[in-house]
Each structure stands twice: as structure tokens, then as C-alpha cells.
Amino acid sequence: MTSKNTICLWYDGTALDAAKFYAQTFPDSAVGAVHRAPGDYPSGKQGDVLTVEFTVMGIPCLGLNGGPAFPQTEAFSFQVATDDQAETDRLWNAIIDNGGSPSACGWCKDKWGLSWQITPRVLTAAVTDPDPAVAKRAFDAMMTMTKIDIAAIEAARRAMA
């Protein structure tokens, strides 16, 4: 790894599976080096995959197979800016259809417990609109959604008060 700052994500023996899924699903993502444990450790044996170097959309990550002690939490998530409904649907569905679970307002969790925000750029523009009434309508619409519906956000943005 050459990056000075790398995100370390903790897995319970599934870091390589997760890294492969991310590399297949997200653009500018890849699996790099796989490092095996030189000796036994609390959650594994010598020769088991200990760490996996990978990138997610250009962000360097390290998957650590540290065991079940520290599960993923919503306190950390990847926020993915999407350009249209097709991209939003593709990424959301890839996560959900691969054992993940939906949440509210564009959030979902992959099967390893890692949280993702699949966020259309249209949504970000709408909820930060300089007109507070427009921003509120878009925000209120978002609050009713799981996966973001761009057409509904745009309709809320255009609606008359």
C-alpha cells in the first residue's frame, strides 16, 4: 500500500469475499494484495487470510479479518454519488440482492454489515437548494424513501407550496 491514509474495515473472516464483491460492483475498485497470517491469532490460524488490500471507487482500504469482536456499524458508511436512476438502482440492487438490507433515505447495508449511502447528485442539489422551501420539500420527500427515487425528488423540488 502506498497511501498514507487507508480505511481499515474489520471483518469476521470474510474480508476477501467483501473486497471481491466491491471490486465487481463499484467502478474504480480492485482487489490488491492478500496477506496470510504468519502465525495463529485469536480469530484464525497460520495461513488464513489476515488482511486484504483493496480500493473502493479509488479509496484505499484494508480488510482485516479480526473476528466477531467488532461488527460494522452505521457510524461509518460509504456515500456513493450517483448520476441517474439507472446507476442508483444498479448499485442499490447489487447490495440488497447480494444479502444486504435496505434502510431509510438511500442507506443500505451489505451482507457484511457495512453501510452504504446510495445518493443521487440530484438529491444533494435538492436538499441544499438556496430556496429553503424547495430544500424542505425535497428533504421531506427523501424522508419517506428507502432507495431514492429521483423523479419523486425532482417532482417535490418543482411542486408549488
Side-chain angles (χ1 to χ4, degrees):
M1 271 201 174
T2 58
S3 179
K4 191 167 185 119
N5 186 9
T6 300
I7 294 171
C8 182
L9 299 168
W10 189 289
Y11 295 89
D12 186 9
T14 58
L16 184 55
D17 292 337
K20 287 178 180 178
F21 172 74
Y22 305 147
Q24 293 169 351
T25 303
F26 297 99
D28 194 21
S29 301
V31 177
V34 175
H35 302 282
R36 298 193 174 272
D40 292 349
Y41 60 106
S43 295
K45 301 284 182 202
Q46 180 178 348
D48 288 351
V49 174
L50 180 61
T51 61
V52 179
E53 296 176 17
F54 60 99
T55 57
V56 176
M57 295 169 287
I59 298 170
C61 299
L62 180 74
L64 169 64
N65 281 328
F70 301 109
Q72 302 290 342
T73 145
E74 290 83 355
F76 176 88
S77 64
F78 279 105
Q79 185 179 44
V80 181
T82 56
D83 293 322
D84 55 32
Q85 194 66 53
E87 183 181 22
T88 301
D89 292 347
R90 183 184 72 76
L91 296 177
W92 175 275
N93 293 338
I95 292 167
I96 301 303
D97 294 348
N98 190 51
S101 60
S103 189
C105 306
W107 289 64
C108 56
K109 247 185 219 185
D110 66 28
K111 73 178 182 181
W112 300 280
L114 186 62
S115 290
W116 297 83
Q117 298 175 60
I118 308 302
T119 309
R121 294 180 196 278
V122 166
L123 172 63
T124 302
V127 299
T128 60
D129 194 285
D131 181 335
V134 170
K136 179 154 181 9
R137 288 193 307 269
F139 181 80
D140 289 347
M142 176 201 68
M143 293 299 291
T144 68
M145 299 177 185
T146 49
K147 177 175 59 175
I148 301 301
D149 177 341
I150 292 173
I153 294 296
E154 289 174 332
R157 195 174 192 184
R158 289 188 308 268
M160 299 305 288

